[in-house]
């Protein structure tokens, strides 16, 4: 599998392989050589979190960003791309968390505004 991933990486003739194929390649190769491929995996994870494939799946987007943060944190502090990828992953994750709607109350009912009755004349 590692040889196949490397062949696909070389065959792509690009600096970074994106999309589902890039995720597969970098996830596999990061297991073998984390310092070499980890930053590219973090990059592709953040990029894919904005993909149309997960646009309507906020849980999946957050999972991709959580993975990107973990991959970036695992890189050695001597890795020249660690700080940049970690900052990028954390910023994207924070943005995703802030963009999510608030959770409903425990009762399961929506919060409704209370509108006072119109003032009535006392007779």
């Amino acid at each position: 599998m590692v040889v196949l991933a490397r062949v696909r990486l070389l065959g792509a003739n690009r600096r970074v392989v994106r999309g589902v194929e890039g995720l597969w390649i970098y996830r596999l190769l990061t297991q073998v050589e984390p310092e070499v491929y980890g930053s590219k995996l973090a990059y592709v994870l953040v990029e894919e979190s904005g993909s149309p494939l997960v646009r309507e799946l906020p849980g999946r987007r957050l999972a991709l960003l959580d993975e990107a943060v973990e991959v970036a944190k695992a890189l050695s502090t001597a890795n020249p791309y660690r700080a940049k990828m970690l900052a990028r992953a954390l910023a994207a994750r924070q943005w995703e968390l802030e963009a999510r709607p608030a959770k409903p109350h425990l009762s399961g009912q929506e919060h409704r505004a209370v509108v006072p009755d119109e003032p009535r004349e006392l007779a």
Side-chain angles (χ1 to χ4, degrees), residues 17-75:
V17 178
R18 292 173 166 80
V20 176
E21 184 178 28
L23 285 176
W24 177 78
I25 289 170
Y26 295 125
R27 279 178 173 151
L28 183 63
L29 295 178
T30 297
Q31 293 175 19
V32 179
E33 295 182 77
E35 291 303 316
V36 175
Y37 297 104
S39 59
K40 288 187 179 186
L41 175 57
Y43 179 89
V44 174
L45 285 163
V46 171
E47 191 173 74
E48 283 304 300
S49 72
S51 164
L53 296 173
V54 294
R55 181 173 291 139
E56 302 300 322
L57 304 169
R60 183 68 183 135
R61 285 194 315 267
L62 190 58
L64 289 169
L65 294 170
D66 286 342
E67 184 181 352
V69 169
E70 291 306 312
V71 168
K73 280 183 179 179
L75 293 171

Side-chain angles (χ1 to χ4, degrees), residues 79-94:
N79 188 313
Y81 301 107
R82 182 185 190 271
K84 182 178 180 180
M85 287 299 98
L86 183 55
R88 185 171 190 252
L90 286 170
R93 186 177 184 281
Q94 185 64 34

